[in-house]
Amino acid sequence: MLLNGLIATILGTVLLVAAGLKAVDRTGAALAAGTFGLHGRGARGAPPSLAALEALVAAGLLAGWGPAAWAATAMLSAFAAAQAAAIAAGRTGAPCGCFGARGRISWGSVARTALLAAGAALLALGAAAAMPVALQAAAAGGAVLVAAVLVARAAGSAAPDGALEVATEGPPVGARLELGADAGFAFFTSAGCRLCRSLVESAREMGARVYDEREDPEAWAAAAVPGAPYAVALSADGIVLAKGTVNTRRQLASVLATGRVRGGQARQPEPARSRRGFLASATAAVGAIVAARTAGSLVAPADADAFHICGHTFTTDSCPHPTGIPRVDRRGYPLRGRDGHPVDDLGRPVDARGAPVGPAGKPLLDPDGRALPPTSRTRVCLAAGRRYGLATRTDGTWSRCCDGHVRTIMDCCSTSPKRINGDGSLRGYCYADRRVFCVVYYQSRIPC
């Protein structure tokens, strides 16, 4: 009896957490859906539906409803089978979407899901042994509380606090921008941007004046807006105080708050979690010490060309890449920036077998006319760590709307106190005690 109650509580908690994490990071969950062959509308629609199903099954388990155990068994078994199929298709390390967007597919994740399915099966077979009502209610309440705390913590760290402020994008900070007498806070949106639509009401609540790409082209041109959604905070006389690309309400509010700080209306906030300067610091790139563990190892300018934000060129903060532009596939392997074609560690286009090919897709030949053999193809973040003697892994992500599709900037993290361009590394975007070392990007097929 107690064992059944314990299993039901554990399964209910796990499913509630999984559902909640999918709900708080919908973009990340949609990207993870691509691992299982879902793209476009299917990728956007599957995570909410799956989250609803997980929540319903969890509620049934916590309520002691017998059929819910069988439903959990079937659902978790299907999850385990889908992950195993993805691994068989060569997608090990791709986003799992099991608990939000940060999990990765591995045989460990398959084993974990299979173990949960086995627990659900045991519960289903012994479902007749019900818990006392009072104990069942207490267990259900505890499960909901634990799930709520875990989801709330994840929601608090799912995205950076600050907007993405890049010095070379948008109107220069300190310059005058003529947008009208009542434009103390400007929000730039586009009709085709779903992310923009989700933030418009929040922007208006904060007192922003909304400028549409089609209806207000003059304002867009004057502000040199790089893409939507974008926000600019202005002083009373039209001086740009803060700006940045925003993905969330919190990031939108950060532009307004930064503007007030720079305008002398508020105290300076703690800068440790600010991303400003990460993609915009243009000095100290050449000849900077990469990390304490690699003292004397210098970063050449070509090592970190950062073409990773909607085609714009920034400073040396991207991970070294075989072709210079740090584009990767969903598993972190290098792709050619201009067209997404797979490349090996030498920067050569490769076919499905990993063999190098020429411009027409034909195998490259040696002087004797024999096809050149495949060479290594390493995940870009891992290769960056090997180059500079660091233990690296991909942790945090940042989403942005580029050319009508979601582009995800992926943080390659390490314990180094310096990032690749020699500047101090950033906390708040990586797990444990890791910090951002360099970045890569993944171009999805998800419309935005």
Side-chain angles (χ1 to χ4, degrees):
M1 182 183 299
L2 292 178
L3 178 60
N4 285 349
L6 178 61
I7 294 175
T9 302
I10 292 174
L11 288 172
T13 304
V14 169
L15 291 176
L16 283 177
V17 170
L21 293 178
K22 290 181 180 67
V24 300
D25 189 5
R26 291 175 294 177
T27 298
L31 288 171
T35 301
F36 304 98
L38 296 175
H39 303 286
R41 292 183 179 179
R44 296 195 306 271
S49 301
L50 190 56
L53 177 61
E54 289 172 334
L56 287 173
V57 173
L61 289 169
L62 296 173
W65 185 50
W70 289 110
T73 302
M75 182 173 66
L76 291 166
S77 298
F79 291 171
Q83 292 178 55
I87 291 175
R91 297 173 189 161
T92 302
C96 172
C98 309
F99 296 96
R102 293 185 175 182
R104 294 291 185 267
I105 286 181
S106 66
W107 286 117
S109 70
V110 174
R112 177 191 63 208
T113 308
L115 182 62
L116 291 172
L122 287 174
L123 181 64
L125 294 172
M131 294 174 64
V133 174
L135 185 57
Q136 183 174 310
V144 171
L145 179 61
V146 169
V149 170
L150 292 176
V151 171
R153 289 187 62 184
S157 61
D161 284 336
L164 182 64
E165 181 178 288
V166 179
T168 52
E169 284 191 335
V173 174
R176 184 178 298 278
L177 179 61
E178 299 293 342
L179 291 179
D182 58 343
F185 189 36
F187 180 68
F188 295 87
T189 182
S190 175
C193 174
R194 296 177 67 252
L195 186 58
C196 301
R197 293 196 294 271
S198 70
L199 292 174
V200 165
E201 289 306 317
S202 295
R204 290 194 172 114
E205 290 172 4
M206 296 177 195
R209 181 171 176 179
V210 178
Y211 295 91
D212 183 82
E213 183 177 16
R214 294 181 180 176
E215 297 177 4
D216 306 289
E218 295 85 0
W220 268 66
V225 177
Y230 198 80
V232 178
L234 302 164
S235 66
D237 54 353
I239 301 299
V240 177
L241 300 175
K243 60 181 181 176
T245 297
V246 294
N247 288 169
T248 66
R249 177 187 173 93
R250 183 171 52 185
Q251 293 162 10
L252 180 64
S254 77
V255 176
L256 185 58
T258 300
R260 289 173 176 169
V261 169
R262 292 175 178 170
Q265 302 174 27
R267 294 175 57 189
Q268 176 68 36
E270 170 61 42
R273 289 176 59 85
S274 173
R275 203 179 185 100
R276 279 181 296 276
F278 178 33
L279 299 179
S281 56
T283 61
V286 181
I289 297 176
V290 175
R293 292 179 55 188
T294 56
S297 176
L298 304 183
V299 181
D303 273 357
D305 290 336
F307 296 80
H308 50 277
I309 311 291
C310 296
H312 293 280
T313 304
F314 298 112
T315 55
T316 56
D317 51 26
S318 64
C319 300
H321 187 281
T323 63
I325 301 175
R327 181 173 181 175
V328 298
D329 62 18
R330 64 172 65 92
R331 293 180 291 156
Y333 288 100
L335 301 177
R336 190 164 56 192
R338 68 174 183 269
D339 57 9
H341 192 96
V343 296
D344 60 19
D345 290 344
L346 299 177
R348 303 176 303 181
V350 296
D351 59 19
R353 298 180 297 106
V357 295
K362 296 182 179 180
L364 291 181
L365 306 178
D366 65 14
D368 296 326
R370 294 172 298 188
L372 293 175
T375 57
S376 61
R377 189 165 181 250
T378 310
R379 289 185 173 93
V380 174
C381 178
L382 179 61
R386 289 176 178 173
R387 175 177 294 195
Y388 296 106
L390 302 169
T392 53
R393 62 179 296 173
T394 302
D395 279 346
T397 62
W398 176 286
S399 296
R400 182 165 181 179
C401 188
C402 297
D403 299 325
H405 291 82
V406 173
R407 177 170 294 181
T408 298
I409 304 163
M410 304 160 68
D411 294 323
C412 180
C413 303
S414 76
T415 57
S416 167
K418 299 284 186 180
R419 59 181 186 262
I420 194 170
N421 65 348
D423 291 348
S425 54
L426 301 178
R427 291 185 179 273
Y429 302 94
C430 304
Y431 286 128
D433 59 346
R434 292 186 293 276
R435 309 176 186 184
V436 177
F437 179 65
C438 58
V439 296
V440 296
Y441 81 81
Y442 167 66
Q443 183 69 35
S444 79
R445 301 185 204 173
I446 299 175
C448 54

